[in-house]
Amino acid sequence: LCTLWKALETKNVFQTGTFSFGRTGLKLLRNLSLGGLSSKLRSENLGLLNTKPLYNLIQYHTDFNKIEQFSDAGKLESLCITATDYATSIGVTFYTGSRSIPDWKRHLRQSLRTPLYADHVMASTAIPIFFPPWKVRGRYFGDGCLRNTAPLSPALHIGAEKVIVLGVRRQKEVNLTDEYIAPSIGRVLSVIINSVFLDAIENDIERAEFVNRILRSYGPTPEGFRPIDLFYQTPSVTISDIASDYADDLPSIFGFLMAGLGSPKESAEILSYLTFLPAYCTKLVDLGYGDLMARSDSLKKFLRESSAS
């Protein structure tokens, strides 16, 4: 897996040719200018980028049949993939695994037991606006973070007592300053993306730790509740800063379009999600490995100790 990531290129994830970008732009222009005249003039599956290469990459490198085989053999308890149903705005967690795991349903999120395939992965990673919605079982889905207000929930529903969370935002103090610069489109989109993709997991961890403190402070645990052991790992370096260093190495037409959103610094968060270059991906892999090794003793202790009770 590390070898695959370190060799990943933009062309492996989405089409980068001028013709592909031009065709997508014309579809978008047609939707905005003529879509109101007839639904037949509106494209059903429109994103700024064509992610067919990513689908082919996942299909080629993944044997999805082994998921069921490992589950039946007792080697895999469960696997969950969450995506957002655009028609209902409900977060749907597709899952497979032990038959002892019941379905669950909460406000604006629910589970659906099903064999997992590349389509579920594509739906879960369909970044809104940039990646097109992906059809699964006749319905269109987008990135699971859109309505995933409780990212820890699927792991808890399948019975996890210990949860390892790998964050992608460096933990640091942020203070208001007197500096004010009018935000570019790139900066506005970066703030929106941060709120969608990063805030939910941090809020859910705070909520889980708060519940843990309450349960451990007031005697016997009430029925239906249990403390959860959490190991939260965040990067020691701001990933968007790394991404901005590679802005000049992006495919020419894609780099040109990204430059229209603002400077590399202003659109750095967007770049961090859409940059797929061997040097950049290698830095991310090495960063993650180094950060975890720096906490290896804590991680070993976390895995050895019995679960919270």
Side-chain angles (χ1 to χ4, degrees):
L1 184 59
C2 285
T3 301
L4 175 63
W5 268 103
K6 289 184 175 183
L8 200 60
E9 298 184 48
T10 308
K11 65 181 181 181
N12 302 135
V13 180
F14 51 82
Q15 294 180 1
T16 59
T18 303
F19 176 76
S20 177
F21 277 101
R23 182 174 56 184
T24 300
L26 289 174
K27 286 183 179 180
L28 179 60
L29 182 62
R30 185 183 66 185
N31 277 17
L32 294 174
S33 59
L34 301 176
L37 299 177
S38 172
S39 60
K40 294 181 180 180
L41 296 175
R42 294 196 298 268
S43 298
E44 289 186 354
N45 204 13
L46 185 62
L48 295 178
L49 304 171
N50 185 324
T51 54
K52 185 65 175 179
L54 177 59
Y55 177 79
N56 294 335
L57 181 77
I58 294 171
Q59 283 279 61
Y60 181 79
H61 287 282
T62 310
D63 185 353
F64 286 92
N65 292 324
K66 286 188 176 181
I67 296 175
E68 297 299 319
Q69 294 175 12
F70 288 156
S71 177
D72 293 340
K75 297 179 180 179
L76 176 67
E77 180 69 16
S78 181
L79 180 63
C80 305
I81 298 176
T82 299
T84 302
D85 180 8
Y86 275 118
T88 61
S89 296
I90 290 177
V92 179
T93 297
F94 302 102
Y95 79 102
T96 187
S98 172
R99 289 293 169 183
S100 64
I101 300 173
D103 288 334
W104 65 89
K105 188 173 184 179
R106 297 292 186 270
H107 179 62
L108 292 179
R109 49 192 171 92
Q110 64 183 58
S111 66
L112 179 63
R113 181 185 289 274
T114 180
L116 300 176
Y117 298 105
D119 286 325
H120 298 97
V121 179
M122 292 297 296
S124 180
T125 58
I127 302 173
I129 300 176
F130 293 99
F131 289 5
W134 203 264
K135 185 182 286 188
V136 178
R137 300 173 66 148
R139 305 182 69 88
Y140 285 102
F141 289 85
D143 197 292
C145 289
L146 288 173
R147 296 311 295 260
N148 196 7
T149 55
L152 298 177
S153 174
L156 304 187
H157 279 293
I158 65 174
E161 296 180 346
K162 290 176 176 285
V163 181
I164 298 176
V165 181
L166 302 181
V168 294
R169 177 158 59 187
R170 179 188 176 195
Q171 299 296 294
K172 60 181 180 180
E173 292 291 332
V174 179
N175 299 308
L176 294 176
T177 67
D178 294 332
E179 180 183 6
Y180 177 79
I181 300 175
S184 64
I185 295 176
R187 185 58 204 153
V188 172
L189 286 176
S190 291
V191 172
I192 293 173
I193 285 178
N194 272 343
S195 67
V196 171
F197 291 98
L198 304 181
D199 292 355
I201 185 62
E202 294 171 355
N203 292 336
D204 208 21
I205 287 173
E206 284 188 358
R207 186 161 51 240
E209 291 176 339
F210 177 70
V211 172
N212 279 346
R213 289 195 296 270
I214 292 177
L215 294 177
R216 289 165 178 158
S217 301
Y218 291 94
T221 302
E223 184 177 353
F225 291 86
R226 69 181 191 276
I228 301 297
D229 289 334
L230 295 171
F231 184 92
Y232 185 34
Q233 177 65 49
T234 59
S236 58
V237 178
T238 302
I239 292 178
S240 57
D241 289 346
I242 301 176
S244 62
D245 292 338
Y246 291 92
D248 293 336
D249 298 327
L250 295 170
S252 55
I253 184 64
F254 180 62
F256 174 78
L257 294 175
M258 291 301 297
L261 299 178
S263 68
K265 181 178 180 180
E266 292 174 307
S267 55
E269 280 88 354
I270 301 174
L271 287 172
S272 70
Y273 287 98
L274 300 177
T275 299
F276 298 95
L277 299 168
Y280 171 69
C281 293
T282 296
K283 271 199 172 184
L284 296 187
V285 171
D286 293 343
L287 173 64
Y289 179 79
D291 286 345
L292 274 175
M293 288 304 295
R295 297 185 63 196
S296 60
D297 290 341
S298 297
L299 180 58
K300 291 176 183 177
K301 181 180 179 182
F302 173 81
L303 295 174
R304 281 197 305 263
E305 290 181 344
S306 59
S307 301
S309 58

